[in-house]
Amino acid sequence: MKHVYTIDDLREKALPVNAKLAVLGYPVSHSASPQMHQAALDALGIDACYIRLEIEPGNVSEAFGLMQSLGFIGCNVTIPHKLEAMECCDELSASVKALGVANTIHFKDGRIMGDNTDGPGLIKALEEDFGLTVKGSNILVLGAGGGAGKAISTQLNREGCANLYLSNRTVSKLEKMAENLPLTETRVHLLGNSSTELEAIAGEVQIIINATSMGMKPDDCLPIPVRCLTAQHIVYDAIYNPPLTSLLESARDRGAAVANGLSMLIHQGAISFEIWTGKQPDTGLMKKAIST
Ligand code: NAP
């Protein structure tokens, strides 16, 4: 079995026996999805192999066609294919329609169905890590205009939090997204990412979620000034590698409850798994498979 397969392998049917699920990305060799899903498939006795497929931008439609003809059940889609994948779908879930990006594809009855499990995955992660439901809370999402940020913000708006503060470096991205948010009981506030704007509202929120990519590299700045972080906050960082970002370390030092994005990764994967198989995977096992 190879670490990564390509479109040529799909064309030549040079795949493992029972390759039925995959993660598509470019690059994709870093993805931990195969370990996590394979453990869950094996535990449930499902005879399927989950592989990495490195597909160049522009080739997603051909890849989907080949996967359908080879009897694949579905796939996860990661950077940079979430938009291209959506454009190849025959049917879209409500969340994909709202977000404009798909992270889960299900090949069903000859049709390509697109879904997005990042938002529901985050909600389950917050329940698991902090035992909290977001209804009625005031929440700040940093990087709300990015792919993950949009999925998280759209879901939080659905879940009925009281006030949703959406921050992004490029504010125009928020304005576009906010136009598509359905009207709910949540009051949505749009802001940039300046220290002044973040300091003005930090005292109003209970939960801070980082959905920016700031913190992935060791020399990245914090996505929010450290003086905004207090013991009243719950801080969740969607980043899971490194496991302790500077944001989480600073927030923890100032007494906040913190958790990283590993739980979101597992839960978004578990929801995809259920879409494909109709079965609930063992998330404890998935976590163990990723961590070892
Ligand atoms: P993306 O679409 O490229 O969005 C990146 C976001 O970060 C944007 O809001 C961008 O702001 C902001 N940003 C980047 N550099 C910045 C800087 N120097 N200053 C201020 N803001 C900056 O990426 P993504 O797919 O949403 O991923 C974002 C993060 O979430 C990544 O770390 C990824 O690993 C993580 N993630 C985790 C999970 C999980 O399951 N745990 C799932 C998905 C993503 P602009 O819009 O202004 O460029």
Side-chain angles (χ1 to χ4, degrees):
M1 168 133 175
K2 291 203 283 186
H3 187 70
V4 170
Y5 292 85
T6 65
I7 193 123
D8 286 333
D9 294 318
L10 280 176
R11 289 176 187 138
E12 291 156 21
K13 302 185 177 61
L15 301 173
V17 183
N18 287 337
K20 293 279 180 275
L21 290 163
V23 52
L24 258 74
Y26 192 80
V28 78
S29 63
H30 64 281
S31 173
S33 291
Q35 295 99 289
M36 161 169 112
H37 283 289
Q38 197 62 55
L41 289 164
D42 294 347
L44 286 167
I46 299 171
D47 189 14
C49 178
Y50 187 113
I51 61 169
R52 291 181 190 84
L53 275 172
E54 189 160 82
I55 302 297
E56 286 182 32
N59 284 345
V60 172
S61 176
E62 184 189 355
F64 282 178
L66 290 164
M67 291 166 81
Q68 281 180 295
S69 68
L70 290 165
F72 272 73
I73 304 165
C75 62
N76 286 126
V77 179
T78 187
I79 293 169
H81 295 323
K82 290 184 179 183
L83 172 64
E84 195 177 335
M86 182 203 70
E87 290 169 347
C88 298
C89 289
D90 300 310
E91 272 180 53
L92 302 174
S93 69
S95 59
V96 178
K97 281 184 193 156
L99 298 170
V101 288
N103 79 338
T104 301
I105 301 295
H106 188 194
F107 302 122
K108 197 178 167 207
D109 305 328
R111 294 176 69 73
I112 304 177
M113 333 280 276
D115 214 323
N116 195 307
T117 64
D118 279 336
L122 181 270
I123 299 299
K124 290 215 167 213
L126 293 177
E127 281 167 16
E128 180 179 286
D129 290 329
F130 306 110
L132 67 79
T133 48
V134 296
K135 196 170 170 56
S137 304
N138 294 342
I139 306 183
L140 166 64
V141 182
L142 303 164
K150 270 198 233 168
I152 288 169
S153 306
T154 305
Q155 192 69 35
L156 290 171
N157 182 57
R158 273 198 199 130
E159 301 283 331
C161 57
N163 286 286
L164 190 51
Y165 295 91
L166 304 181
S167 155
N168 207 57
R169 176 178 58 180
T170 316
V171 182
S172 57
K173 289 191 189 170
L174 294 179
E175 287 158 358
K176 261 191 214 155
M177 178 187 57
E179 278 171 23
N180 291 326
L181 283 179
L183 263 185
T184 64
E185 61 206 278
T186 302
R187 283 182 296 281
V188 178
H189 313 261
L190 308 186
L191 49 148
N193 72 338
S194 70
S195 304
T196 323
E197 286 167 285
L198 295 172
E199 273 180 67
I201 56 94
E204 306 293 322
V205 303
Q206 294 92 43
I207 305 170
I208 299 174
I209 299 171
N210 179 39
T212 75
S213 45
M214 293 170 80
M216 295 179 84
K217 291 190 252 91
D219 54 349
D220 279 347
C221 313
L222 289 190
I224 182 168
V226 71
R227 56 187 175 276
C228 293
L229 306 167
T230 69
Q232 77 166 34
H233 289 124
I234 284 173
V235 180
Y236 189 87
D237 200 329
I239 296 173
Y240 52 88
N241 188 14
L244 187 67
T245 56
S246 313
L247 169 67
L248 293 185
E249 197 171 8
S250 304
R252 191 189 61 184
D253 290 349
R254 294 174 70 86
V258 303
N260 70 30
L262 183 64
S263 47
M264 177 178 161
L265 176 75
I266 288 162
H267 285 291
Q268 62 78 27
I271 299 166
S272 302
F273 189 99
E274 223 177 315
I275 290 171
W276 299 322
T277 66
K279 297 199 167 118
Q280 272 192 345
D282 179 342
T283 50
L285 195 71
M286 291 168 91
K287 188 173 186 176
K288 202 169 153 208
I290 279 190
S291 313
T292 49

